Amino acid sequence: MNSSEFIKDLNLVEILSDNFVVERCYTGKYADLSDEKEAEMISLMSKKHWREVIAESFQEKSPWLYRIIADAGRPMFLDMLDIPKNGLYLDVGSGWGQVCIPLGRLGNSVALDLTFNRLNILRSIANQEKVSLQYAQGNFLSFPFIEKSFDTIIFNGSLEWIGVGREKGTSIRKVQIDALKKANDLLKPDGMIYIGIENSMGLKYILGTEDDHTGLQYHTFLEERIAENNFQSQGRGEQLPSKTWSLEEYKEMISESGLELEKVYGCFPDYKLIRQMIDLRFINEELINGTPVTEHVGISGEDINRPLELNAMYKVLAKNKIAQYFCPSYAFILRKRGHSNGTI
């Protein structure tokens, strides 16, 4: 496979190699490490196995980041998806490769990320794993992908960040809907979109657990304009970097984008390190029958301190048939309008 099979206009990208292209003009940047640290890791991975480098770099100094990178639960959701073999897949915000590398074992996987060094780290990991990937540096909203070319598009922890670098005065919600519309355009007629994302009305946030993205309490469920004011007033920056929503708000956004919702799962402790994916159609019944769930603080990975009380609250919510609205995270499976099997 080469880049011409998924890039619409080669004049808008710079081809660095057979499998690495860079968008000539793009905006936005997201990284959980400094450029210097990423460059250091690239150098180390030329001499050692990537898992050894990750362990040496983060296991003690940043144990939560280490878990996110190394935990086998990160790509668990792929087992729940009907992904066609030998297809073309796009991982938006590919990060450390926990999703695009397993996809690369099924077919042709394109890793899209804003950060050049992060893609180089991913390339080192994929080479050691003997998985062939295509690498694309750029912004999903502007990258010149060919329409109707992808079988599967993944937004696992990336849709909430899609508004980073947006124009002043533009809402995150609008940018997220624009991203979903573009994903709709890029899908083949029978293609599928997966979104893993937090629930702004998650029970733990209502009880005071900090937002995963800003570290602020009682913040996730605020209306976007108020959330931005709250973010600015606490000296966190000039522009709110991310926004999550409630179940019904996600449904509205999906409908506005022209997509159909096929299925929703509640993810516990969250979508980052999934241990349970419960079909929302059955979640009240499962919780009433005593299925235990666990949750953790999204910015640190620490367990929520009162599991008995938390499960008791979920059981009461389930008896009132509303537990589906309070999961910590959701996994959404979307199709083009008219192509869903309508299981939700």
Side-chain angles (χ1 to χ4, degrees):
M1 181 185 185
N2 58 60
S3 56
S4 64
E5 295 180 46
F6 62 87
I7 295 177
K8 187 175 184 178
D9 189 344
L10 294 175
N11 293 318
L12 298 177
V13 299
E14 181 181 356
I15 300 176
L16 302 185
S17 66
D18 290 342
N19 65 348
F20 204 128
V21 296
V22 175
E23 186 180 4
R24 293 187 184 276
C25 299
Y26 71 93
T27 58
K29 180 177 180 179
Y30 170 79
D32 44 18
L33 298 177
S34 67
D35 290 344
E36 292 76 17
K37 182 62 178 178
E38 289 180 329
E40 175 190 339
M41 295 186 71
I42 293 168
S43 176
L44 289 171
M45 284 181 187
S46 67
K47 306 166 189 173
K48 301 179 180 180
H49 192 273
W50 72 270
R51 289 191 179 276
E52 185 180 353
V53 174
I54 294 294
E56 291 175 354
S57 299
F58 305 124
Q59 195 164 15
E60 292 186 6
K61 295 179 181 178
S62 303
W64 179 226
L65 178 58
Y66 174 73
R67 284 177 62 194
I68 289 176
I69 298 170
D71 193 282
R74 184 74 170 178
M76 172 185 165
F77 68 89
L78 293 175
D79 295 333
M80 310 295 285
L81 305 182
D82 182 21
I83 299 173
K85 289 187 177 180
N86 301 315
L88 178 60
Y89 324 118
L90 175 62
D91 184 15
V92 181
S94 52
W96 299 91
Q98 303 100 319
V99 174
C100 59
I101 287 177
L103 284 174
R105 294 190 173 102
L106 295 175
N108 297 302
S109 180
V110 179
L112 174 69
D113 204 278
L114 289 170
T115 307
F116 184 76
N117 280 344
R118 182 57 51 84
L119 284 172
N120 274 320
I121 290 176
L122 174 54
R123 183 160 58 173
S124 296
I125 294 172
N127 287 343
Q128 290 187 20
E129 292 292 320
K130 295 180 171 53
V131 174
S132 178
L133 300 177
Q134 290 288 326
Y135 305 92
Q137 182 194 9
N139 189 311
F140 174 73
L141 290 164
S142 56
F143 201 93
F145 291 114
I146 296 175
E147 294 180 357
K148 299 179 182 178
S149 58
F150 291 98
D151 295 280
T152 305
I153 299 175
I154 306 290
F155 292 94
N156 195 44
S158 56
L159 186 65
E160 60 267 47
W161 294 103
I162 208 81
V164 171
R166 66 192 181 279
E167 292 185 8
K168 187 175 180 179
T170 301
S171 74
I172 295 176
R173 184 182 189 278
K174 180 186 182 304
V175 176
Q176 290 170 334
I177 291 175
D178 287 344
L180 291 176
K181 287 179 177 178
K182 178 167 182 175
N184 191 6
D185 291 339
L186 298 182
L187 274 188
K188 292 179 180 178
D190 57 349
M192 171 183 56
I193 295 170
Y194 173 89
I195 301 171
I197 196 166
E198 294 87 355
N199 171 20
S200 68
M201 288 296 292
L203 182 57
K204 65 179 180 180
Y205 301 124
I206 295 172
L207 295 174
T209 299
E210 299 91 340
D211 172 28
D212 301 44
H213 313 100
T214 63
L216 298 174
Q217 288 182 295
Y218 307 110
H219 175 83
T220 59
F221 40 78
L222 298 176
E223 185 271 328
E224 183 176 344
R225 179 182 57 80
I226 298 172
E228 184 139 51
N229 290 339
N230 185 47
F231 181 78
Q232 294 168 346
S233 68
Q234 300 204 40
R236 300 302 178 94
E238 294 184 2
Q239 189 179 67
L240 186 67
S242 65
K243 186 74 179 76
T244 56
W245 310 91
S246 67
L247 179 60
E248 292 304 316
E249 288 171 315
Y250 283 126
K251 288 181 178 180
E252 290 174 1
M253 293 169 64
I254 290 164
S255 179
E256 287 182 41
S257 70
L259 291 158
E260 283 189 354
L261 183 55
E262 181 169 280
K263 188 174 285 189
V264 190
Y265 295 92
C267 301
F268 297 87
D270 61 16
Y271 81 88
K272 300 183 190 74
L273 300 182
I274 298 173
R275 295 295 180 265
Q276 294 165 281
M277 290 180 72
I278 304 177
D279 191 323
L280 285 198
R281 294 174 298 169
F282 313 121
I283 192 168
N284 290 304
E285 179 182 349
E286 290 205 23
L287 294 175
I288 288 172
N289 290 334
T291 298
V293 296
T294 60
E295 294 198 29
H296 56 214
V297 180
I299 59 175
S300 67
E302 297 176 5
D303 290 337
I304 300 294
N305 290 329
R306 296 182 176 274
L308 292 177
E309 291 89 339
L310 194 71
N311 275 275
M313 291 180 199
Y314 271 119
K315 186 167 285 191
V316 172
L317 293 170
K319 287 180 178 178
N320 284 276
K321 304 186 186 304
I322 56 173
Q324 66 271 25
Y325 296 109
F326 298 94
C327 304
S329 294
Y330 293 120
F332 295 100
I333 298 175
L334 316 179
R335 300 275 186 181
K336 282 182 171 291
R337 190 161 288 164
H339 289 80
S340 170
N341 64 18
T343 58
I344 190 168

